[in-house]
Amino acid sequence: MDAHHFTRLIEPHLDVLHRLARRLAPTRADAEDLAQEALVRAFEKRDALRDPGKVRGWVLATMRNLHLNRIRDEKPHLLVLTGDKPDEAGAGEPRGDLERELLDRHLPDELFLAMRALPEEQASAIWLREVEGLSYEELAEAMGTPIGTVRSRLARARAALLEEMQPARCRASGA
């Protein structure tokens, strides 16, 4: 596949790619690096794309694999805290990633916390399905799993979110 054709295929999916990168990576800079690396890798391997209609799932799978490889390769690092208590180190301070903070605040606090508590596979599946609108087939390709696995991850994620949110609803209603 020539470079111009591939570029035209991938362009409509850049927003989804960048949003997922921001969700996966801890900082905006890491997210930008991850998205860029995924695009470079996809461009280099564009001849491996068998079905141009599945380019979105294919490039998301490329990025997810890069992300998982980064996690596996991460080595522990030293965290330097200032202040007497760990929670004084940055309490109330911006994390330096305003875009991420704003994105985080679009979800109600209870839902955001419940999403953070999910295992990565479930959180990614529910995010890509419910926020990004990927089909089950696209999810299966993006996550590199059979469609049945995608369905079970989504079901477990939805059940865990409902269970986690239930106490918050009961407290709010005074029950």
Side-chain angles (χ1 to χ4, degrees):
M1 174 180 313
D2 74 4
H4 294 294
H5 180 67
F6 181 76
T7 302
R8 284 192 306 274
L9 275 176
I10 205 82
E11 278 180 11
H13 309 293
L14 292 178
D15 287 342
V16 172
L17 182 79
H18 287 284
R19 283 192 300 267
L20 181 61
R22 284 193 306 260
R23 196 197 128 348
L24 293 173
T27 67
R28 183 177 184 193
D30 289 340
E32 289 171 359
D33 289 347
L34 179 61
Q36 183 177 3
E37 188 176 347
L39 287 170
V40 168
R41 179 78 49 92
F43 184 80
E44 291 171 347
K45 299 192 180 263
R46 66 187 181 273
D47 290 331
L49 177 62
R50 292 183 206 120
D51 182 356
K54 295 182 178 182
V55 70
R56 180 166 68 168
W58 182 76
V59 75
L60 291 175
T62 300
M63 185 170 64
R64 184 175 176 278
N65 290 337
L66 286 169
H67 173 68
L68 293 174
N69 288 340
R70 282 182 174 186
I71 289 172
R72 277 187 221 115
D73 294 341
E74 275 186 359
K75 305 229 183 314
H77 59 278
L78 178 62
L79 177 63
V80 178
L81 301 175
T82 59
D84 294 334
K85 299 179 193 167
D87 53 340
E88 284 181 4
E93 293 293 320
R95 293 180 299 216
D97 188 356
L98 180 59
E99 186 175 12
R100 175 91 182 218
E101 289 178 38
L102 290 173
L103 282 172
D104 290 350
R105 291 182 185 147
H106 284 299
L107 298 175
D109 290 342
E110 295 84 13
L111 180 57
F112 176 71
L113 291 173
M115 285 279 294
R116 298 280 282 208
L118 290 176
E120 177 59 36
E121 301 85 24
Q122 291 177 17
S124 291
I126 198 102
W127 179 270
L128 290 170
R129 176 71 182 142
E130 303 302 333
V131 176
E132 301 297 346
L134 269 68
S135 69
Y136 288 104
E137 292 79 14
E138 289 173 317
L139 266 169
E141 184 166 346
M143 299 188 83
T145 60
I147 198 164
T149 303
V150 167
R151 290 181 192 277
S152 69
R153 283 182 183 169
L154 285 170
R156 286 193 307 270
R158 289 177 179 134
L161 288 174
L162 285 172
E163 183 176 320
E164 188 70 28
M165 298 290 293
Q166 190 62 39
R169 278 192 231 146
C170 289
R171 283 193 302 271
S173 67

